[in-house]
Amino acid sequence: MSVRCLVVENDPTAGLGHFAEWLTDGGLALEVARPHAGEALPDDLTGYAALVVLGGHQPAYPAPDGTPASPWFPALESLLRHAVRERVPTLGICLGAQLLARAHNGTVAPAAAGPEIGPALVAKRDAAEQDPLFAPVPMLPDVVHWHGDEITELPLGAVLLATSTACPVQAFRLGSAAWGVQFHPEVDLPTFAAWVAAADDPLPERAGVDRELVLSQVEQLQDDLFEVWHPFAIRFAALATGSLTPPPSVQPGRRLPLLGS
Protein backbone atom coordinates (compact mmCIF):
# COMPACT_ATOMS: atom_id res chain seq x y z
CA MET A 1 0.00 0.00 0.00
CA SER A 2 1.31 3.46 -0.87
CA VAL A 3 2.25 5.88 1.89
CA ARG A 4 1.86 9.64 1.59
CA CYS A 5 4.80 11.87 0.71
CA LEU A 6 4.52 15.65 0.69
CA VAL A 7 6.42 17.31 -2.15
CA VAL A 8 7.00 21.07 -1.99
CA GLU A 9 7.44 22.65 -5.42
CA ASN A 10 9.11 26.05 -5.03
CA ASP A 11 9.25 26.93 -8.72
CA PRO A 12 6.96 25.88 -11.60
CA THR A 13 10.03 25.17 -13.74
CA ALA A 14 11.59 22.81 -11.16
CA GLY A 15 9.23 19.89 -10.76
CA LEU A 16 9.71 16.27 -9.74
CA GLY A 17 11.12 15.15 -13.08
CA HIS A 18 12.15 11.50 -12.91
CA PHE A 19 11.22 11.33 -9.22
CA ALA A 20 7.52 11.48 -10.10
CA GLU A 21 7.87 7.93 -11.44
CA TRP A 22 10.78 6.67 -9.34
CA LEU A 23 9.34 7.56 -5.92
CA THR A 24 5.97 6.16 -6.97
CA ASP A 25 7.74 2.95 -8.02
CA GLY A 26 9.06 2.82 -4.45
CA GLY A 27 5.56 2.88 -2.98
CA LEU A 28 5.05 6.57 -2.24
CA ALA A 29 1.83 8.44 -2.99
CA LEU A 30 3.05 11.90 -3.96
CA GLU A 31 1.05 14.96 -2.95
CA VAL A 32 2.51 18.13 -4.46
CA ALA A 33 2.07 21.49 -2.69
CA ARG A 34 2.72 24.50 -4.94
CA PRO A 35 3.12 27.55 -2.70
CA HIS A 36 4.36 29.54 -5.72
CA ALA A 37 0.78 29.19 -7.01
CA GLY A 38 -0.77 30.26 -3.71
CA GLU A 39 -1.28 26.81 -2.19
CA ALA A 40 -0.81 26.67 1.57
CA LEU A 41 1.75 24.48 3.28
CA PRO A 42 0.60 22.30 6.18
CA ASP A 43 1.59 23.31 9.70
CA ASP A 44 3.16 19.92 10.32
CA LEU A 45 3.62 16.53 8.66
CA THR A 46 0.82 14.64 10.38
CA GLY A 47 -0.31 11.89 8.01
CA TYR A 48 2.81 12.08 5.83
CA ALA A 49 5.59 9.49 5.83
CA ALA A 50 8.11 11.58 3.89
CA LEU A 51 8.94 15.10 2.70
CA VAL A 52 10.68 16.19 -0.51
CA VAL A 53 11.58 19.85 -1.07
CA LEU A 54 12.47 20.74 -4.65
CA GLY A 55 14.68 23.40 -6.18
CA GLY A 56 14.00 26.83 -7.60
CA HIS A 57 15.52 30.01 -8.93
CA GLN A 58 15.22 31.88 -5.62
CA PRO A 59 18.07 32.37 -3.17
CA ALA A 60 17.57 30.56 0.13
CA TYR A 61 18.76 33.61 2.07
CA PRO A 62 16.70 36.77 2.64
CA ALA A 63 17.23 40.21 1.12
CA PRO A 64 19.40 42.68 3.07
CA ASP A 65 16.26 44.10 4.70
CA GLY A 66 15.33 40.64 5.97
CA THR A 67 12.54 39.94 3.47
CA PRO A 68 12.52 36.25 2.48
CA ALA A 69 13.14 35.53 -1.18
CA SER A 70 9.74 33.82 -1.29
CA PRO A 71 6.98 34.57 1.22
CA TRP A 72 6.44 30.90 2.13
CA PHE A 73 10.09 30.22 3.05
CA PRO A 74 9.65 30.84 6.82
CA ALA A 75 6.77 28.33 6.92
CA LEU A 76 8.77 25.87 4.83
CA GLU A 77 11.80 26.15 7.12
CA SER A 78 9.50 25.52 10.09
CA LEU A 79 8.21 22.40 8.31
CA LEU A 80 11.79 21.24 7.72
CA ARG A 81 12.60 21.67 11.41
CA HIS A 82 9.52 19.62 12.26
CA ALA A 83 10.63 16.89 9.85
CA VAL A 84 14.09 16.62 11.40
CA ARG A 85 12.73 16.71 14.94
CA GLU A 86 10.17 13.98 14.21
CA ARG A 87 12.60 11.92 12.09
CA VAL A 88 10.39 12.05 9.00
CA PRO A 89 12.44 10.92 5.97
CA THR A 90 13.24 14.15 4.15
CA LEU A 91 15.10 15.02 0.96
CA GLY A 92 16.01 18.59 0.01
CA ILE A 93 17.21 19.12 -3.56
CA CYS A 94 19.36 22.14 -4.53
CA LEU A 95 17.35 25.07 -3.09
CA GLY A 96 15.60 22.51 -0.87
CA ALA A 97 18.97 21.43 0.55
CA GLN A 98 19.94 25.04 1.18
CA LEU A 99 16.66 25.71 2.99
CA LEU A 100 17.18 22.56 5.08
CA ALA A 101 20.58 23.89 6.12
CA ARG A 102 19.32 27.41 6.83
CA ALA A 103 16.39 26.08 8.85
CA HIS A 104 18.96 24.60 11.24
CA ASN A 105 21.33 27.60 11.44
CA GLY A 106 23.54 26.67 8.51
CA THR A 107 24.58 29.39 6.06
CA VAL A 108 24.08 29.85 2.32
CA ALA A 109 25.79 32.38 0.04
CA PRO A 110 26.68 32.93 -3.62
CA ALA A 111 29.03 30.17 -4.72
CA ALA A 112 32.64 31.26 -4.30
CA ALA A 113 33.73 29.40 -7.45
CA GLY A 114 30.76 30.65 -9.46
CA PRO A 115 27.72 28.75 -10.75
CA GLU A 116 27.82 25.02 -11.51
CA ILE A 117 25.88 24.08 -14.64
CA GLY A 118 25.58 20.67 -16.25
CA PRO A 119 27.23 17.29 -15.64
CA ALA A 120 30.02 16.78 -13.12
CA LEU A 121 31.43 14.27 -10.66
CA VAL A 122 31.15 14.51 -6.89
CA ALA A 123 33.22 12.57 -4.37
CA LYS A 124 31.71 10.56 -1.54
CA ARG A 125 33.15 11.09 1.94
CA ASP A 126 34.06 8.24 4.29
CA ALA A 127 30.90 8.86 6.34
CA ALA A 128 28.77 8.01 3.30
CA GLU A 129 29.76 4.35 3.61
CA GLN A 130 27.54 4.08 6.69
CA ASP A 131 24.65 6.03 5.21
CA PRO A 132 21.52 4.16 4.03
CA LEU A 133 21.03 6.40 0.99
CA PHE A 134 24.63 6.99 -0.06
CA ALA A 135 26.45 3.78 0.88
CA PRO A 136 25.57 2.03 -2.42
CA VAL A 137 26.33 5.13 -4.53
CA PRO A 138 29.65 4.91 -6.49
CA MET A 139 32.63 6.76 -5.05
CA LEU A 140 32.54 9.30 -7.91
CA PRO A 141 28.94 9.43 -9.13
CA ASP A 142 27.81 11.47 -12.11
CA VAL A 143 25.47 14.32 -11.21
CA VAL A 144 23.76 17.24 -12.94
CA HIS A 145 24.08 20.76 -11.55
CA TRP A 146 22.18 24.01 -11.94
CA HIS A 147 22.92 26.42 -9.10
CA GLY A 148 24.59 29.71 -8.33
CA ASP A 149 24.55 29.55 -4.50
CA GLU A 150 26.09 27.07 -2.09
CA ILE A 151 25.98 26.01 1.55
CA THR A 152 28.97 27.66 3.20
CA GLU A 153 28.49 26.24 6.70
CA LEU A 154 26.63 23.11 7.67
CA PRO A 155 24.29 22.99 10.66
CA LEU A 156 25.58 21.72 13.98
CA GLY A 157 25.88 17.93 13.93
CA ALA A 158 25.34 17.54 10.19
CA VAL A 159 27.26 14.79 8.39
CA LEU A 160 28.98 15.69 5.14
CA LEU A 161 28.43 12.87 2.63
CA ALA A 162 29.74 14.19 -0.70
CA THR A 163 31.91 17.06 -1.84
CA SER A 164 33.70 18.54 -4.85
CA THR A 165 36.52 20.98 -5.45
CA ALA A 166 34.19 23.69 -6.74
CA CYS A 167 31.47 23.22 -4.13
CA PRO A 168 32.50 21.65 -0.79
CA VAL A 169 28.95 20.72 0.31
CA GLN A 170 27.39 18.47 -2.31
CA ALA A 171 25.42 16.19 0.03
CA PHE A 172 24.80 15.94 3.77
CA ARG A 173 22.60 14.26 6.35
CA LEU A 174 21.01 16.04 9.27
CA GLY A 175 19.78 13.93 12.17
CA SER A 176 18.84 10.37 11.30
CA ALA A 177 16.53 10.85 8.32
CA ALA A 178 17.00 14.20 6.52
CA TRP A 179 19.26 14.59 3.50
CA GLY A 180 20.24 17.52 1.34
CA VAL A 181 21.85 17.34 -2.13
CA GLN A 182 23.15 20.37 -3.99
CA PHE A 183 22.83 18.65 -7.37
CA HIS A 184 19.69 17.49 -9.21
CA PRO A 185 19.19 13.70 -9.10
CA GLU A 186 15.56 14.19 -10.15
CA VAL A 187 16.02 16.28 -13.28
CA ASP A 188 14.85 14.76 -16.57
CA LEU A 189 15.99 15.82 -20.01
CA PRO A 190 12.89 17.91 -20.92
CA THR A 191 13.25 19.90 -17.68
CA PHE A 192 16.96 20.47 -18.20
CA ALA A 193 16.31 21.47 -21.82
CA ALA A 194 13.77 24.03 -20.63
CA TRP A 195 16.33 25.50 -18.21
CA VAL A 196 18.86 25.70 -21.04
CA ALA A 197 16.31 27.43 -23.30
CA ALA A 198 15.48 30.09 -20.70
CA ALA A 199 17.40 32.97 -22.18
CA ASP A 200 16.71 35.19 -19.15
CA ASP A 201 18.69 32.86 -16.85
CA PRO A 202 22.26 34.20 -16.63
CA LEU A 203 23.77 31.17 -14.87
CA PRO A 204 25.11 29.37 -17.99
CA GLU A 205 26.93 32.49 -19.16
CA ARG A 206 28.27 33.17 -15.67
CA ALA A 207 29.50 29.57 -15.53
CA GLY A 208 31.14 29.90 -18.95
CA VAL A 209 29.27 26.98 -20.53
CA ASP A 210 27.79 26.62 -23.99
CA ARG A 211 24.05 25.97 -23.71
CA GLU A 212 23.80 23.57 -26.65
CA LEU A 213 26.91 21.66 -25.61
CA VAL A 214 25.84 21.21 -22.00
CA LEU A 215 22.43 19.94 -23.10
CA SER A 216 24.13 17.39 -25.35
CA GLN A 217 26.38 16.29 -22.49
CA VAL A 218 23.43 15.76 -20.15
CA GLU A 219 21.56 13.84 -22.86
CA GLN A 220 24.51 11.47 -23.33
CA LEU A 221 24.66 10.86 -19.58
CA GLN A 222 21.05 9.73 -19.09
CA ASP A 223 21.72 5.99 -18.78
CA ASP A 224 24.53 6.51 -16.26
CA LEU A 225 22.38 8.87 -14.20
CA PHE A 226 19.52 6.36 -14.14
CA GLU A 227 21.80 3.59 -12.87
CA VAL A 228 22.82 5.66 -9.83
CA TRP A 229 19.84 7.84 -8.96
CA HIS A 230 16.90 5.53 -9.66
CA PRO A 231 18.06 3.12 -6.90
CA PHE A 232 18.75 6.16 -4.70
CA ALA A 233 15.12 7.28 -5.08
CA ILE A 234 13.90 3.74 -4.37
CA ARG A 235 16.00 3.65 -1.17
CA PHE A 236 14.53 6.97 -0.04
CA ALA A 237 11.04 5.59 -0.59
CA ALA A 238 12.03 2.47 1.37
CA LEU A 239 12.94 4.65 4.34
CA ALA A 240 9.46 6.15 4.26
CA THR A 241 7.70 2.81 3.91
CA GLY A 242 9.76 1.28 6.73
CA SER A 243 11.59 -1.33 4.69
CA LEU A 244 14.95 0.43 5.19
CA THR A 245 16.20 1.55 8.59
CA PRO A 246 17.85 4.97 9.09
CA PRO A 247 20.98 5.30 11.25
CA PRO A 248 20.79 6.39 14.90
CA SER A 249 20.32 10.10 15.51
CA VAL A 250 23.46 12.18 15.20
CA GLN A 251 24.42 13.77 18.47
CA PRO A 252 25.02 17.55 18.50
CA GLY A 253 28.64 18.56 18.27
CA ARG A 254 30.97 21.06 16.67
CA ARG A 255 30.18 22.52 13.26
CA LEU A 256 31.77 20.28 10.68
CA PRO A 257 34.57 21.54 8.43
CA LEU A 258 33.65 21.47 4.79
CA LEU A 259 36.85 19.85 3.60
CA GLY A 260 38.97 16.94 4.80
CA SER A 261 37.92 13.48 5.91
Side-chain angles (χ1 to χ4, degrees):
M1 184 177 67
S2 295
V3 298
R4 298 169 70 203
C5 173
L6 177 65
V7 178
V8 179
E9 183 184 274
N10 289 299
D11 186 321
T13 70
L16 274 162
H18 287 304
F19 274 23
E21 178 181 353
W22 296 352
L23 293 177
T24 301
D25 288 345
L28 298 185
L30 306 178
E31 299 181 17
V32 182
R34 298 177 174 85
H36 62 81
E39 298 178 3
L41 295 174
D43 294 330
D44 59 38
L45 292 168
T46 300
Y48 292 103
L51 171 66
V52 175
V53 181
L54 299 173
H57 70 282
Q58 312 95 313
Y61 44 83
D65 65 359
T67 303
S70 290
W72 62 89
F73 279 4
L76 179 51
E77 291 186 6
S78 177
L79 200 62
L80 286 163
R81 288 189 288 271
H82 173 87
V84 172
R85 185 169 61 249
E86 299 299 323
R87 303 183 186 181
V88 176
T90 297
L91 179 63
I93 296 174
C94 198
L95 171 63
Q98 296 167 4
L99 290 169
L100 175 63
R102 275 190 50 86
H104 295 86
N105 296 316
T107 58
V108 178
E116 285 189 298
I117 300 294
L121 297 174
V122 299
K124 282 172 53 177
R125 299 291 300 271
D126 290 346
E129 295 307 315
Q130 306 301 317
D131 186 83
L133 283 189
F134 276 88
V137 169
M139 288 302 298
L140 293 170
D142 290 297
V143 301
V144 173
H145 288 295
W146 196 287
H147 69 101
D149 293 332
E150 65 177 346
I151 297 165
T152 55
E153 189 172 28
L154 283 169
L156 201 67
V159 178
L160 184 62
L161 299 173
T163 187
S164 71
T165 302
C167 180
V169 179
Q170 290 287 354
F172 66 96
R173 189 183 72 244
L174 188 57
S176 63
W179 287 264
V181 294
Q182 183 58 74
F183 47 90
H184 285 276
E186 87 296 354
V187 70
D188 56 21
L189 196 59
T191 299
F192 191 83
W195 293 349
V196 168
D200 60 343
D201 190 330
L203 290 185
E205 282 69 33
R206 285 173 52 199
V209 300
D210 179 274
R211 291 177 185 255
E212 292 186 7
L213 176 60
V214 77
L215 178 57
S216 174
Q217 291 170 336
V218 170
E219 183 174 12
Q220 294 172 24
L221 208 58
Q222 290 299 296
D223 289 344
D224 292 336
L225 293 169
F226 176 86
E227 288 182 5
V228 175
W229 302 113
H230 176 264
F232 177 91
I234 297 296
R235 288 194 298 275
F236 178 77
L239 285 166
T241 60
S243 57
L244 186 62
T245 304
S249 295
V250 177
Q251 297 301 314
R254 295 182 297 108
R255 289 187 183 273
L256 295 180
L258 300 187
L259 295 175
S261 57

